[in-house]
Amino acid sequence: MKRRALLLSIITLLLLSPSVWAAGDNSTSHIRSFDSGSLIQSDGSLWLWGYNQSVPTRVEGKPNVVKTFSNIINEGDLVFTLQDHSAWYVPRNNIAESVKFVSLEGLQNLIAVSSLNDHVLALNNEGNIFLADRLEDKNTFGPFQTLSGIDEVADIDSYYEERPNYEERWIFLKSDGSVWKNTKALQGFEPIPSLKDITAIAKNIALKKDGTVWTWPKEFDKNAAPSETLAVSQIHTLSGIKTIKANRYSNLAIDQQGRLWFWGATVTGALDNTTYHNDNTPVLLKGVQNVKDAFFVERSILALTTAGNVYIASLDGEKLSSQVPFTLLAQNTQSIKAGPRHIIMQKADGALWGWGVNKHAQLGIGDYEFLYSTPVPVQKPILVRLNNTPVPLSNGVITRNGQAFIPLRSVFDKLGAEVTYDYNSKIAKIDHSKVGEHSISIEINFKTSQTKVNSKSVELTNPPFMVNGIGYLPLRLISETLGAKVDWIQKEDTIVITTK
C-alpha cells in the first residue's frame, strides 16, 4: 500500500499542484574537485556529463573516487582512481546510453595518463611507466604492461616529429631534472643533452629551475642526421618564467611578474582551408596582466588572473600582435579546467560554469546547443533518494526557472510502474495496476504537452520536456496526507522522497 500511495502522490502532484519544489541556488558547494567533464563530491561520489548525460549524473557502484584524468583517448573519456588505488576507464561516445567502466588491471597509484596515436601511457607515484596499445576501434585499449628502460619519471608528455613522416614522440621528465625521449616505436630511450634541472615539460619545450625556457625541433630536413634531433636551444627572449603551456601548434609562458607570452601558430580559414601561420619568436601579450593560468581552447587564448577574472583573445589571423585585445569573459573565478573546445570554471562560491562548444553537452547545462559564447552555469549535481535509497538516474536532475525536473522513468520504475514511450508519436504512458485496486494511468504527449490522468485531460502549469530523447517531468511537493512527502535537503543537494 505504501508504494501505491506514493505513486498516487507523485502522479497527482506532478500534474496538479500549483506549488513547486525549487533547488536553492545559494547552497554551499560540495564539490571536492572537478575536470572538464566530471566532478567528485565531498562524499567521494563521481558525477559525469557529456554525450548522453546532458547534466551531472551520479555514477552508481563506484564510491570513494579520489582522482580523475580526462580526455584520455577521445574528448570526454575519463580515467579515475578509487580509494583502494585501483584505476578505471570510462569510454564516452554519442551512441552508448549507459556509462560503462573498464578495470585497468595492474595499475595502482596513478598520477598521470596520456595517449598518442596507437599508445596509452600511464605513470604511477613510484615513477614507473606502463604501456597499453589502442585497439582497432580506436576507442579502447588493451592491458597495461610495464615499460622497461625508463624509470624514476615525474611527468610525461607527447608530440609528433616530422622527419619526413610523422613519428610518435614521448618525453619523460625524471625526478633528477633530466629529460628523456623515446627512440622510434618506443623501442628505447635516450636523454636530451643540455637539459638539466628541468621543472616542467610541455610538448617540445622545457622549463628550467632558473626560469629559462628551452626547446628542440619538431620538424627536420629529410636528409638531417639523427644527431640533429637532439639539438637543444634556449629561447633567449624568455626569462623568469614560472609556467609553460603548449598544444600541438602553439605555446604560452607566464613569467614571475604575471605577464603572458605567446609563440607558435595563429590560424586563418576553416575546415579544409585551415592554414597555420607559425612564428617562433615569443610575443609579450600586453592586453592582460597578473596572469595566474592560461589555456588554448579552440582558436582562442584564455587567461585567468590573480583577481579571478577570465579574459579571452583570438588566435585568428596571420600574426598575433602584442596589442591583441583581451575581452573580459568571467569574474570571481578560482580555477579552470579546459577541454579541446570548452572550459569549465569554478567560481568563488564553488559553483561550476561552462563556456565554449556544447555539441555533445560538454557544458553540462541540460541541452545540446552547439556553442555558448558567454559563460553558462553547469547544472548542480542533485541526488534523489527514495526511502533513503539513492535512485539511479540515466540522466541527472535538471532545474529550470528554479524548478526541479526528473527523468520520466527514474522514480516511477522504482515504484513498480510500467513506463512506455512511442518514439513516433512522442507519447509516454505510465501505468500502475494491482489486483483489487484501481488502476492509475498517465498519458503525456511531449509534442503538445497534453496530459491525461485516467483518460481525463489535465492542465499543466509547468509542462514536461525532452532532452536528447529523455523525458523530464516537474517534481512538486507531495502532501503527507497522500502518504508521502518530498524534502529538499539543501546542505546535501538531495531530494528525499519518503513514504509514511
Side-chain angles (χ1 to χ4, degrees), residues 425-458:
S425 65
K426 301 294 188 293
I427 293 177
K429 294 182 179 180
I430 304 170
D431 292 295
H432 187 271
S433 61
K434 295 182 72 173
V435 177
E437 297 183 3
H438 294 292
S439 298
I440 303 169
S441 66
I442 298 178
E443 183 178 292
I444 302 171
N445 188 321
F446 281 92
K447 284 183 178 180
T448 65
S449 295
Q450 183 184 35
T451 302
K452 296 180 181 180
V453 178
N454 289 337
S455 300
K456 294 182 178 180
S457 295
V458 175

PDB file of all heavy atoms in Angstrom, residues 425-458:
ATOM      1  N   SER A 425       5.041   8.931 -32.089  1.00  0.00           N
ATOM      2  CA  SER A 425       4.023   9.883 -31.632  1.00  0.00           C
ATOM      3  C   SER A 425       4.520  10.791 -30.530  1.00  0.00           C
ATOM      4  O   SER A 425       3.874  11.793 -30.216  1.00  0.00           O
ATOM      5  CB  SER A 425       2.791   9.116 -31.127  1.00  0.00           C
ATOM      6  OG  SER A 425       3.119   8.341 -29.976  1.00  0.00           O
ATOM      7  N   LYS A 426       5.655  10.441 -29.910  1.00  0.00           N
ATOM      8  CA  LYS A 426       6.204  11.190 -28.778  1.00  0.00           C
ATOM      9  C   LYS A 426       5.251  11.186 -27.585  1.00  0.00           C
ATOM     10  O   LYS A 426       5.154  12.158 -26.834  1.00  0.00           O
ATOM     11  CB  LYS A 426       6.534  12.638 -29.179  1.00  0.00           C
ATOM     12  CG  LYS A 426       7.537  12.766 -30.313  1.00  0.00           C
ATOM     13  CD  LYS A 426       8.906  12.251 -29.895  1.00  0.00           C
ATOM     14  CE  LYS A 426       9.967  12.539 -30.942  1.00  0.00           C
ATOM     15  NZ  LYS A 426       9.779  11.802 -32.192  1.00  0.00           N
ATOM     16  N   ILE A 427       4.581  10.046 -27.391  1.00  0.00           N
ATOM     17  CA  ILE A 427       3.643   9.902 -26.279  1.00  0.00           C
ATOM     18  C   ILE A 427       4.205   8.895 -25.281  1.00  0.00           C
ATOM     19  O   ILE A 427       4.594   7.780 -25.651  1.00  0.00           O
ATOM     20  CB  ILE A 427       2.262   9.444 -26.769  1.00  0.00           C
ATOM     21  CG1 ILE A 427       1.619  10.553 -27.606  1.00  0.00           C
ATOM     22  CG2 ILE A 427       1.361   9.076 -25.583  1.00  0.00           C
ATOM     23  CD1 ILE A 427       0.279  10.159 -28.199  1.00  0.00           C
ATOM     24  N   ALA A 428       4.248   9.305 -24.014  1.00  0.00           N
ATOM     25  CA  ALA A 428       4.688   8.433 -22.921  1.00  0.00           C
ATOM     26  C   ALA A 428       3.482   8.005 -22.106  1.00  0.00           C
ATOM     27  O   ALA A 428       2.552   8.798 -21.884  1.00  0.00           O
ATOM     28  CB  ALA A 428       5.701   9.150 -22.041  1.00  0.00           C
ATOM     29  N   LYS A 429       3.494   6.758 -21.653  1.00  0.00           N
ATOM     30  CA  LYS A 429       2.426   6.243 -20.806  1.00  0.00           C
ATOM     31  C   LYS A 429       3.015   5.642 -19.544  1.00  0.00           C
ATOM     32  O   LYS A 429       4.007   4.916 -19.598  1.00  0.00           O
ATOM     33  CB  LYS A 429       1.599   5.191 -21.558  1.00  0.00           C
ATOM     34  CG  LYS A 429       0.825   5.739 -22.747  1.00  0.00           C
ATOM     35  CD  LYS A 429       0.004   4.652 -23.415  1.00  0.00           C
ATOM     36  CE  LYS A 429      -0.798   5.222 -24.591  1.00  0.00           C
ATOM     37  NZ  LYS A 429      -1.616   4.172 -25.248  1.00  0.00           N
ATOM     38  N   ILE A 430       2.380   5.967 -18.421  1.00  0.00           N
ATOM     39  CA  ILE A 430       2.773   5.422 -17.123  1.00  0.00           C
ATOM     40  C   ILE A 430       1.566   4.687 -16.577  1.00  0.00           C
ATOM     41  O   ILE A 430       0.501   5.281 -16.368  1.00  0.00           O
ATOM     42  CB  ILE A 430       3.204   6.534 -16.152  1.00  0.00           C
ATOM     43  CG1 ILE A 430       4.337   7.363 -16.753  1.00  0.00           C
ATOM     44  CG2 ILE A 430       3.619   5.955 -14.813  1.00  0.00           C
ATOM     45  CD1 ILE A 430       4.658   8.615 -15.975  1.00  0.00           C
ATOM     46  N   ASP A 431       1.716   3.388 -16.349  1.00  0.00           N
ATOM     47  CA  ASP A 431       0.601   2.570 -15.869  1.00  0.00           C
ATOM     48  C   ASP A 431       1.010   1.816 -14.616  1.00  0.00           C
ATOM     49  O   ASP A 431       2.121   1.279 -14.517  1.00  0.00           O
ATOM     50  CB  ASP A 431       0.172   1.559 -16.947  1.00  0.00           C
ATOM     51  CG  ASP A 431      -0.461   2.242 -18.139  1.00  0.00           C
ATOM     52  OD1 ASP A 431      -1.523   2.843 -17.974  1.00  0.00           O
ATOM     53  OD2 ASP A 431       0.142   2.189 -19.235  1.00  0.00           O
ATOM     54  N   HIS A 432       0.052   1.778 -13.663  1.00  0.00           N
ATOM     55  CA  HIS A 432       0.285   1.012 -12.447  1.00  0.00           C
ATOM     56  C   HIS A 432      -1.045   0.384 -12.036  1.00  0.00           C
ATOM     57  O   HIS A 432      -2.050   1.076 -11.875  1.00  0.00           O
ATOM     58  CB  HIS A 432       0.803   1.915 -11.329  1.00  0.00           C
ATOM     59  CG  HIS A 432       1.220   1.150 -10.107  1.00  0.00           C
ATOM     60  ND1 HIS A 432       0.351   0.841  -9.093  1.00  0.00           N
ATOM     61  CD2 HIS A 432       2.415   0.639  -9.756  1.00  0.00           C
ATOM     62  CE1 HIS A 432       0.998   0.166  -8.166  1.00  0.00           C
ATOM     63  NE2 HIS A 432       2.239   0.035  -8.526  1.00  0.00           N
ATOM     64  N   SER A 433      -1.050  -0.914 -11.898  1.00  0.00           N
ATOM     65  CA  SER A 433      -2.286  -1.597 -11.513  1.00  0.00           C
ATOM     66  C   SER A 433      -1.953  -2.792 -10.643  1.00  0.00           C
ATOM     67  O   SER A 433      -0.922  -3.441 -10.817  1.00  0.00           O
ATOM     68  CB  SER A 433      -3.069  -2.049 -12.743  1.00  0.00           C
ATOM     69  OG  SER A 433      -2.295  -2.960 -13.513  1.00  0.00           O
ATOM     70  N   LYS A 434      -2.853  -3.069  -9.672  1.00  0.00           N
ATOM     71  CA  LYS A 434      -2.710  -4.234  -8.805  1.00  0.00           C
ATOM     72  C   LYS A 434      -4.091  -4.855  -8.626  1.00  0.00           C
ATOM     73  O   LYS A 434      -5.118  -4.160  -8.671  1.00  0.00           O
ATOM     74  CB  LYS A 434      -2.125  -3.839  -7.450  1.00  0.00           C
ATOM     75  CG  LYS A 434      -0.706  -3.310  -7.547  1.00  0.00           C
ATOM     76  CD  LYS A 434      -0.141  -2.966  -6.179  1.00  0.00           C
ATOM     77  CE  LYS A 434       0.159  -4.219  -5.392  1.00  0.00           C
ATOM     78  NZ  LYS A 434       0.871  -3.911  -4.124  1.00  0.00           N
ATOM     79  N   VAL A 435      -4.117  -6.150  -8.389  1.00  0.00           N
ATOM     80  CA  VAL A 435      -5.388  -6.855  -8.228  1.00  0.00           C
ATOM     81  C   VAL A 435      -6.159  -6.261  -7.053  1.00  0.00           C
ATOM     82  O   VAL A 435      -5.625  -6.084  -5.963  1.00  0.00           O
ATOM     83  CB  VAL A 435      -5.144  -8.363  -8.004  1.00  0.00           C
ATOM     84  CG1 VAL A 435      -6.481  -9.078  -7.750  1.00  0.00           C
ATOM     85  CG2 VAL A 435      -4.446  -8.958  -9.211  1.00  0.00           C
ATOM     86  N   GLY A 436      -7.422  -5.946  -7.263  1.00  0.00           N
ATOM     87  CA  GLY A 436      -8.265  -5.417  -6.199  1.00  0.00           C
ATOM     88  C   GLY A 436      -8.126  -3.936  -5.977  1.00  0.00           C
ATOM     89  O   GLY A 436      -8.764  -3.395  -5.069  1.00  0.00           O
ATOM     90  N   GLU A 437      -7.316  -3.237  -6.792  1.00  0.00           N
ATOM     91  CA  GLU A 437      -7.135  -1.803  -6.616  1.00  0.00           C
ATOM     92  C   GLU A 437      -7.401  -1.090  -7.940  1.00  0.00           C
ATOM     93  O   GLU A 437      -7.364  -1.685  -9.012  1.00  0.00           O
ATOM     94  CB  GLU A 437      -5.720  -1.486  -6.142  1.00  0.00           C
ATOM     95  CG  GLU A 437      -5.387  -2.066  -4.783  1.00  0.00           C
ATOM     96  CD  GLU A 437      -3.992  -1.667  -4.316  1.00  0.00           C
ATOM     97  OE1 GLU A 437      -3.336  -0.896  -5.042  1.00  0.00           O
ATOM     98  OE2 GLU A 437      -3.562  -2.124  -3.248  1.00  0.00           O
ATOM     99  N   HIS A 438      -7.711   0.206  -7.832  1.00  0.00           N
ATOM    100  CA  HIS A 438      -7.946   0.981  -9.041  1.00  0.00           C
ATOM    101  C   HIS A 438      -6.641   1.225  -9.787  1.00  0.00           C
ATOM    102  O   HIS A 438      -5.597   1.461  -9.179  1.00  0.00           O
ATOM    103  CB  HIS A 438      -8.597   2.320  -8.685  1.00  0.00           C
ATOM    104  CG  HIS A 438      -9.977   2.180  -8.114  1.00  0.00           C
ATOM    105  ND1 HIS A 438     -11.049   1.738  -8.854  1.00  0.00           N
ATOM    106  CD2 HIS A 438     -10.445   2.421  -6.864  1.00  0.00           C
ATOM    107  CE1 HIS A 438     -12.130   1.710  -8.098  1.00  0.00           C
ATOM    108  NE2 HIS A 438     -11.795   2.124  -6.871  1.00  0.00           N
ATOM    109  N   SER A 439      -6.698   1.167 -11.075  1.00  0.00           N
ATOM    110  CA  SER A 439      -5.518   1.428 -11.893  1.00  0.00           C
ATOM    111  C   SER A 439      -5.249   2.926 -11.988  1.00  0.00           C
ATOM    112  O   SER A 439      -6.180   3.731 -11.916  1.00  0.00           O
ATOM    113  CB  SER A 439      -5.713   0.843 -13.300  1.00  0.00           C
ATOM    114  OG  SER A 439      -5.865  -0.549 -13.243  1.00  0.00           O
ATOM    115  N   ILE A 440      -3.985   3.258 -12.153  1.00  0.00           N
ATOM    116  CA  ILE A 440      -3.578   4.640 -12.361  1.00  0.00           C
ATOM    117  C   ILE A 440      -2.866   4.694 -13.703  1.00  0.00           C
ATOM    118  O   ILE A 440      -1.986   3.877 -13.979  1.00  0.00           O
ATOM    119  CB  ILE A 440      -2.624   5.130 -11.261  1.00  0.00           C
ATOM    120  CG1 ILE A 440      -3.268   4.975  -9.896  1.00  0.00           C
ATOM    121  CG2 ILE A 440      -2.217   6.585 -11.496  1.00  0.00           C
ATOM    122  CD1 ILE A 440      -2.297   5.187  -8.768  1.00  0.00           C
ATOM    123  N   SER A 441      -3.241   5.648 -14.517  1.00  0.00           N
ATOM    124  CA  SER A 441      -2.562   5.783 -15.807  1.00  0.00           C
ATOM    125  C   SER A 441      -2.368   7.255 -16.130  1.00  0.00           C
ATOM    126  O   SER A 441      -3.224   8.090 -15.829  1.00  0.00           O
ATOM    127  CB  SER A 441      -3.367   5.101 -16.919  1.00  0.00           C
ATOM    128  OG  SER A 441      -4.593   5.768 -17.125  1.00  0.00           O
ATOM    129  N   ILE A 442      -1.216   7.535 -16.712  1.00  0.00           N
ATOM    130  CA  ILE A 442      -0.905   8.884 -17.185  1.00  0.00           C
ATOM    131  C   ILE A 442      -0.493   8.769 -18.639  1.00  0.00           C
ATOM    132  O   ILE A 442       0.221   7.837 -19.019  1.00  0.00           O
ATOM    133  CB  ILE A 442       0.250   9.520 -16.398  1.00  0.00           C
ATOM    134  CG1 ILE A 442      -0.098   9.671 -14.925  1.00  0.00           C
ATOM    135  CG2 ILE A 442       0.623  10.877 -16.974  1.00  0.00           C
ATOM    136  CD1 ILE A 442       1.032  10.251 -14.110  1.00  0.00           C
ATOM    137  N   GLU A 443      -0.951   9.695 -19.438  1.00  0.00           N
ATOM    138  CA  GLU A 443      -0.519   9.767 -20.836  1.00  0.00           C
ATOM    139  C   GLU A 443      -0.023  11.182 -21.105  1.00  0.00           C
ATOM    140  O   GLU A 443      -0.749  12.150 -20.877  1.00  0.00           O
ATOM    141  CB  GLU A 443      -1.666   9.425 -21.772  1.00  0.00           C
ATOM    142  CG  GLU A 443      -1.257   9.411 -23.237  1.00  0.00           C
ATOM    143  CD  GLU A 443      -2.403   9.014 -24.147  1.00  0.00           C
ATOM    144  OE1 GLU A 443      -2.825   7.839 -24.080  1.00  0.00           O
ATOM    145  OE2 GLU A 443      -2.886   9.887 -24.904  1.00  0.00           O
ATOM    146  N   ILE A 444       1.220  11.298 -21.569  1.00  0.00           N
ATOM    147  CA  ILE A 444       1.835  12.607 -21.804  1.00  0.00           C
ATOM    148  C   ILE A 444       2.267  12.692 -23.255  1.00  0.00           C
ATOM    149  O   ILE A 444       3.029  11.850 -23.738  1.00  0.00           O
ATOM    150  CB  ILE A 444       3.048  12.844 -20.890  1.00  0.00           C
ATOM    151  CG1 ILE A 444       2.636  12.730 -19.427  1.00  0.00           C
ATOM    152  CG2 ILE A 444       3.685  14.206 -21.163  1.00  0.00           C
ATOM    153  CD1 ILE A 444       3.806  12.738 -18.475  1.00  0.00           C
ATOM    154  N   ASN A 445       1.784  13.712 -23.944  1.00  0.00           N
ATOM    155  CA  ASN A 445       2.198  13.971 -25.313  1.00  0.00           C
ATOM    156  C   ASN A 445       3.277  15.051 -25.282  1.00  0.00           C
ATOM    157  O   ASN A 445       3.003  16.209 -24.990  1.00  0.00           O
ATOM    158  CB  ASN A 445       1.009  14.440 -26.154  1.00  0.00           C
ATOM    159  CG  ASN A 445       1.338  14.535 -27.622  1.00  0.00           C
ATOM    160  OD1 ASN A 445       2.419  14.952 -28.002  1.00  0.00           O
ATOM    161  ND2 ASN A 445       0.375  14.140 -28.457  1.00  0.00           N
ATOM    162  N   PHE A 446       4.516  14.647 -25.565  1.00  0.00           N
ATOM    163  CA  PHE A 446       5.630  15.584 -25.476  1.00  0.00           C
ATOM    164  C   PHE A 446       5.680  16.552 -26.655  1.00  0.00           C
ATOM    165  O   PHE A 446       6.453  17.507 -26.638  1.00  0.00           O
ATOM    166  CB  PHE A 446       6.959  14.840 -25.354  1.00  0.00           C
ATOM    167  CG  PHE A 446       7.228  14.333 -23.963  1.00  0.00           C
ATOM    168  CD1 PHE A 446       6.836  13.066 -23.587  1.00  0.00           C
ATOM    169  CD2 PHE A 446       7.851  15.146 -23.024  1.00  0.00           C
ATOM    170  CE1 PHE A 446       7.076  12.601 -22.303  1.00  0.00           C
ATOM    171  CE2 PHE A 446       8.087  14.691 -21.747  1.00  0.00           C
ATOM    172  CZ  PHE A 446       7.693  13.411 -21.374  1.00  0.00           C
ATOM    173  N   LYS A 447       4.843  16.320 -27.671  1.00  0.00           N
ATOM    174  CA  LYS A 447       4.739  17.285 -28.770  1.00  0.00           C
ATOM    175  C   LYS A 447       3.846  18.452 -28.380  1.00  0.00           C
ATOM    176  O   LYS A 447       4.160  19.614 -28.659  1.00  0.00           O
ATOM    177  CB  LYS A 447       4.168  16.603 -30.022  1.00  0.00           C
ATOM    178  CG  LYS A 447       5.138  15.704 -30.771  1.00  0.00           C
ATOM    179  CD  LYS A 447       4.456  15.167 -32.027  1.00  0.00           C
ATOM    180  CE  LYS A 447       5.389  14.290 -32.840  1.00  0.00           C
ATOM    181  NZ  LYS A 447       4.726  13.758 -34.065  1.00  0.00           N
ATOM    182  N   THR A 448       2.715  18.128 -27.747  1.00  0.00           N
ATOM    183  CA  THR A 448       1.709  19.150 -27.448  1.00  0.00           C
ATOM    184  C   THR A 448       1.627  19.509 -25.978  1.00  0.00           C
ATOM    185  O   THR A 448       0.937  20.462 -25.614  1.00  0.00           O
ATOM    186  CB  THR A 448       0.331  18.655 -27.903  1.00  0.00           C
ATOM    187  OG1 THR A 448      -0.035  17.501 -27.120  1.00  0.00           O
ATOM    188  CG2 THR A 448       0.344  18.288 -29.379  1.00  0.00           C
ATOM    189  N   SER A 449       2.299  18.723 -25.108  1.00  0.00           N
ATOM    190  CA  SER A 449       2.228  18.863 -23.651  1.00  0.00           C
ATOM    191  C   SER A 449       0.871  18.457 -23.091  1.00  0.00           C
ATOM    192  O   SER A 449       0.611  18.632 -21.891  1.00  0.00           O
ATOM    193  CB  SER A 449       2.558  20.298 -23.200  1.00  0.00           C
ATOM    194  OG  SER A 449       3.890  20.614 -23.506  1.00  0.00           O
ATOM    195  N   GLN A 450      -0.026  17.914 -23.933  1.00  0.00           N
ATOM    196  CA  GLN A 450      -1.323  17.447 -23.442  1.00  0.00           C
ATOM    197  C   GLN A 450      -1.110  16.250 -22.526  1.00  0.00           C
ATOM    198  O   GLN A 450      -0.380  15.310 -22.852  1.00  0.00           O
ATOM    199  CB  GLN A 450      -2.240  17.050 -24.588  1.00  0.00           C
ATOM    200  CG  GLN A 450      -3.636  16.628 -24.137  1.00  0.00           C
ATOM    201  CD  GLN A 450      -4.505  16.150 -25.283  1.00  0.00           C
ATOM    202  OE1 GLN A 450      -4.007  15.524 -26.220  1.00  0.00           O
ATOM    203  NE2 GLN A 450      -5.793  16.454 -25.224  1.00  0.00           N
ATOM    204  N   THR A 451      -1.762  16.303 -21.371  1.00  0.00           N
ATOM    205  CA  THR A 451      -1.580  15.269 -20.367  1.00  0.00           C
ATOM    206  C   THR A 451      -2.933  14.756 -19.905  1.00  0.00           C
ATOM    207  O   THR A 451      -3.863  15.541 -19.677  1.00  0.00           O
ATOM    208  CB  THR A 451      -0.796  15.816 -19.161  1.00  0.00           C
ATOM    209  OG1 THR A 451       0.459  16.303 -19.620  1.00  0.00           O
ATOM    210  CG2 THR A 451      -0.572  14.742 -18.121  1.00  0.00           C
ATOM    211  N   LYS A 452      -3.051  13.454 -19.769  1.00  0.00           N
ATOM    212  CA  LYS A 452      -4.278  12.826 -19.289  1.00  0.00           C
ATOM    213  C   LYS A 452      -3.973  11.948 -18.082  1.00  0.00           C
ATOM    214  O   LYS A 452      -2.998  11.212 -18.077  1.00  0.00           O
ATOM    215  CB  LYS A 452      -4.912  11.980 -20.396  1.00  0.00           C
ATOM    216  CG  LYS A 452      -5.377  12.767 -21.609  1.00  0.00           C
ATOM    217  CD  LYS A 452      -5.976  11.853 -22.649  1.00  0.00           C
ATOM    218  CE  LYS A 452      -6.437  12.634 -23.887  1.00  0.00           C
ATOM    219  NZ  LYS A 452      -7.016  11.733 -24.911  1.00  0.00           N
ATOM    220  N   VAL A 453      -4.833  12.048 -17.071  1.00  0.00           N
ATOM    221  CA  VAL A 453      -4.769  11.177 -15.902  1.00  0.00           C
ATOM    222  C   VAL A 453      -6.035  10.346 -15.882  1.00  0.00           C
ATOM    223  O   VAL A 453      -7.143  10.905 -15.804  1.00  0.00           O
ATOM    224  CB  VAL A 453      -4.628  11.994 -14.597  1.00  0.00           C
ATOM    225  CG1 VAL A 453      -4.608  11.063 -13.395  1.00  0.00           C
ATOM    226  CG2 VAL A 453      -3.382  12.843 -14.634  1.00  0.00           C
ATOM    227  N   ASN A 454      -5.868   9.015 -15.976  1.00  0.00           N
ATOM    228  CA  ASN A 454      -7.029   8.112 -16.077  1.00  0.00           C
ATOM    229  C   ASN A 454      -7.996   8.599 -17.155  1.00  0.00           C
ATOM    230  O   ASN A 454      -9.210   8.708 -16.936  1.00  0.00           O
ATOM    231  CB  ASN A 454      -7.735   7.983 -14.733  1.00  0.00           C
ATOM    232  CG  ASN A 454      -6.903   7.192 -13.739  1.00  0.00           C
ATOM    233  OD1 ASN A 454      -6.042   6.409 -14.125  1.00  0.00           O
ATOM    234  ND2 ASN A 454      -7.154   7.410 -12.462  1.00  0.00           N
ATOM    235  N   SER A 455      -7.413   8.960 -18.306  1.00  0.00           N
ATOM    236  CA  SER A 455      -8.134   9.363 -19.523  1.00  0.00           C
ATOM    237  C   SER A 455      -8.761  10.749 -19.439  1.00  0.00           C
ATOM    238  O   SER A 455      -9.447  11.170 -20.376  1.00  0.00           O
ATOM    239  CB  SER A 455      -9.231   8.340 -19.880  1.00  0.00           C
ATOM    240  OG  SER A 455      -8.660   7.070 -20.100  1.00  0.00           O
ATOM    241  N   LYS A 456      -8.576  11.490 -18.342  1.00  0.00           N
ATOM    242  CA  LYS A 456      -9.101  12.832 -18.223  1.00  0.00           C
ATOM    243  C   LYS A 456      -7.990  13.855 -18.417  1.00  0.00           C
ATOM    244  O   LYS A 456      -6.925  13.744 -17.797  1.00  0.00           O
ATOM    245  CB  LYS A 456      -9.757  13.034 -16.856  1.00  0.00           C
ATOM    246  CG  LYS A 456     -10.993  12.177 -16.654  1.00  0.00           C
ATOM    247  CD  LYS A 456     -11.633  12.454 -15.304  1.00  0.00           C
ATOM    248  CE  LYS A 456     -12.903  11.612 -15.130  1.00  0.00           C
ATOM    249  NZ  LYS A 456     -13.548  11.871 -13.809  1.00  0.00           N
ATOM    250  N   SER A 457      -8.216  14.867 -19.257  1.00  0.00           N
ATOM    251  CA  SER A 457      -7.208  15.888 -19.541  1.00  0.00           C
ATOM    252  C   SER A 457      -6.929  16.729 -18.308  1.00  0.00           C
ATOM    253  O   SER A 457      -7.838  17.056 -17.535  1.00  0.00           O
ATOM    254  CB  SER A 457      -7.671  16.792 -20.681  1.00  0.00           C
ATOM    255  OG  SER A 457      -7.774  16.065 -21.876  1.00  0.00           O
ATOM    256  N   VAL A 458      -5.639  17.075 -18.141  1.00  0.00           N
ATOM    257  CA  VAL A 458      -5.190  17.891 -17.009  1.00  0.00           C
ATOM    258  C   VAL A 458      -4.346  19.027 -17.560  1.00  0.00           C
ATOM    259  O   VAL A 458      -3.492  18.825 -18.437  1.00  0.00           O
ATOM    260  CB  VAL A 458      -4.375  17.056 -16.008  1.00  0.00           C
ATOM    261  CG1 VAL A 458      -3.817  17.952 -14.904  1.00  0.00           C
ATOM    262  CG2 VAL A 458      -5.218  15.955 -15.417  1.00  0.00           C
TER     263      VAL A 458
END
